[in-house]
Amino acid sequence: MKIYVINGPNLNMLGIREPGHYGRASYGEVERMIEEHCRAKDVVPVIYQSNHEGALVDKIQEAFFEGADGIVINPGAYTHTSIAILDAVKATMLPTVEIHISKVEEREAYRQISYVREACIGTVTGRGIDGYKDAIDLLIDHIRQG
Ligand code: DQA
């Protein structure tokens, strides 16, 4: 099984940015955690981060063309603004799980909208970086049941 784990803007700043919301682990540590978790589950991850909306759209499309089984995505702030990311996920028809490190539903009003959510089979929020493992498990269970 191959899955894409796609991260949006400013997630490369994990460990530096707003530790009250996002914790102290660096993006590199998150990547390693995802790799280890996937290895234990016999899943091959393609892990990607970009600060650019179009690059994220390209990567979502790549997941389709490369025959991935599903996507885990944290679109960062593009969650709340990007119809392009929503459309890209819909276009792939791949099972997709949305993940947010922070509990977005308890934060500012402008974080209450998620465009991508309607294309997702599930959403994980407020579990810190461990939420990536929960999102991957949700996706794997969905694919293996399917
Ligand atoms: C985030 C929440 C977003 O509102 C924010 O813009 C981010 C990170 C999260 O993981 O909690 O960049 O997606």
Side-chain angles (χ1 to χ4, degrees):
M1 190 189 296
K2 179 162 80 175
I3 66 169
Y4 273 54
V5 182
I6 298 175
N7 287 294
N10 299 306
L11 288 160
N12 58 315
M13 296 288 281
L14 286 178
I16 300 166
R17 76 183 284 218
E18 303 181 83
H21 284 303
Y22 304 116
R24 299 222 169 257
S26 69
Y27 182 69
E29 287 172 299
V30 172
E31 281 184 315
R32 285 192 288 283
M33 181 196 74
I34 292 168
E35 273 161 11
E36 240 170 67
H37 190 69
C38 286
R39 196 175 312 120
K41 300 255 164 179
D42 224 9
V43 169
V44 176
V46 174
I47 306 171
Y48 180 76
Q49 188 277 328
S50 176
N51 295 325
H52 305 277
E53 187 174 15
L56 294 165
V57 169
D58 287 345
K59 207 67 183 176
I60 293 164
Q61 292 183 7
E62 183 189 297
F64 172 78
F65 289 115
E66 291 296 319
D69 296 290
I71 299 171
V72 167
I73 189 163
N74 183 348
Y78 288 137
T79 306
H80 319 299
T81 63
S82 179
I83 298 167
I85 287 175
L86 167 65
D87 284 349
V89 171
K90 279 185 173 172
T92 68
M93 295 165 293
L94 290 171
T96 297
V97 176
E98 172 192 18
I99 185 256
H100 301 286
I101 296 167
S102 65
K103 204 161 185 64
V104 277
E105 59 273 29
E106 291 179 2
R107 297 182 62 192
E108 301 90 336
Y110 53 80
R111 292 185 208 274
Q112 304 309 315
I113 290 172
S114 166
Y115 283 100
V116 78
R117 193 160 301 170
E118 74 171 70
C120 293
I121 59 155
T123 297
V124 175
T125 71
R127 299 263 301 116
I129 63 165
D130 282 344
Y132 284 93
K133 296 196 268 189
D134 296 342
I136 289 164
D137 290 348
L138 239 171
L139 181 64
I140 293 172
D141 287 350
H142 178 90
I143 295 166
R144 289 195 171 140
Q145 275 162 22

